[in-house]
């Protein structure tokens, strides 16, 4: 069962983000607060969206997808960038991850978006195999770059 997240899901989403960060071997990098998530997902100008995966029998939440819109200048339309996809280990293999991606693909096609994109850590071979089984292909001709913390502040200070 996949459903759109509600404000009542903020504590759950926060917990799942922290679980994902631990799984990705970066628990100290997950610094978002519940207040920040509340604003980003349900504030006056939402910047992101989330869906919850729940066990079909018990209704217990077992995972989530958090995403936002991007835009392709080449295609001239929006797409979805999947920021986080996480299913708790005990619930993996039951179709929750596929159901979350299926819902995002449905949103794309319904709204005329032409891309659903995400990043995956190179060492996460189970996730890579799962994504490739769905027909997703790596975009290995592109490398992701990121500015954060000191380098971001330093570059911002160089503006004229």
């Amino acid at each position: 069962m996949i459903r759109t997240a509600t404000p009542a899901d903020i504590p759950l989403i926060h917990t799942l983000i922290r679980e994902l960060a631990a799984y990705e071997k970066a628990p100290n990098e997950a610094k978002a607060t519940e207040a920040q998530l509340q604003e980003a997902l349900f504030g006056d100008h939402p910047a992101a969206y989330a869906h919850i995966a729940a066990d079909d029998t018990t209704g217990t939440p077992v995972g989530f997808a958090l995403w936002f819109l991007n835009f392709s200048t080449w295609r001239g339309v929006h797409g979805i960038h999947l920021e986080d996809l996480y299913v708790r280990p005990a619930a993996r293999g039951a179709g929750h991850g596929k159901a979350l991606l299926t819902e995002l693909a449905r949103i794309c096609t319904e709204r005329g978006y032409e891309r659903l994109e995400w990043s995956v850590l190179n060492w996460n071979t189970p996730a890579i195999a799962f994504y490739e089984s769905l027909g997703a292909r790596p975009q290995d001709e592109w490398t992701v770059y990121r500015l954060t913390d000191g380098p971001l502040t330093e570059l911002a200070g160089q503006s004229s």
Side-chain angles (χ1 to χ4, degrees):
M1 176 175 70
I2 304 301
R3 63 176 175 77
T4 302
T6 68
D9 291 313
I10 293 297
L12 169 68
I13 293 168
H14 187 253
T15 297
L16 293 171
I17 289 169
R18 298 196 55 74
E19 289 178 21
L20 172 61
Y23 173 77
E24 291 185 347
K25 304 172 186 169
N28 295 328
E29 292 184 38
K31 298 177 182 180
T33 65
E34 288 185 20
Q36 288 173 315
L37 293 171
Q38 174 72 34
E39 182 62 27
L41 294 168
F42 303 106
D44 291 337
H45 304 286
Y49 308 91
H51 285 79
I52 304 296
D55 182 274
D56 290 335
T57 305
T58 65
T60 302
V62 296
F64 82 115
L66 193 142
W67 56 278
F68 55 87
L69 295 179
N70 57 21
F71 184 80
S72 170
T73 57
W74 290 18
R75 296 203 173 206
V77 296
H78 282 293
I80 287 178
H81 177 84
L82 175 60
E83 180 66 19
D84 288 334
L85 174 70
Y86 178 72
V87 175
R88 287 182 160 152
R92 292 184 187 152
H96 302 294
K98 183 176 182 182
L100 285 163
L101 285 170
T102 298
E103 176 63 10
L104 297 185
R106 185 195 64 74
I107 291 169
C108 282
T109 58
E110 182 179 273
R111 298 181 186 177
Y113 304 161
E114 296 187 11
R115 290 182 180 167
L116 171 56
E117 297 179 324
W118 61 91
S119 297
V120 60
L121 291 165
N122 292 333
W123 59 260
N124 194 347
T125 54
I128 291 168
F130 167 62
Y131 297 143
E132 289 182 352
S133 77
L134 299 176
R137 295 293 170 251
Q139 300 298 297
D140 56 10
E141 66 272 14
W142 295 89
T143 300
V144 175
Y145 281 83
R146 179 178 294 157
L147 279 171
T148 60
D149 303 323
L152 177 63
T153 303
E154 184 179 326
L155 183 60
Q158 295 177 17
S159 64
S160 41

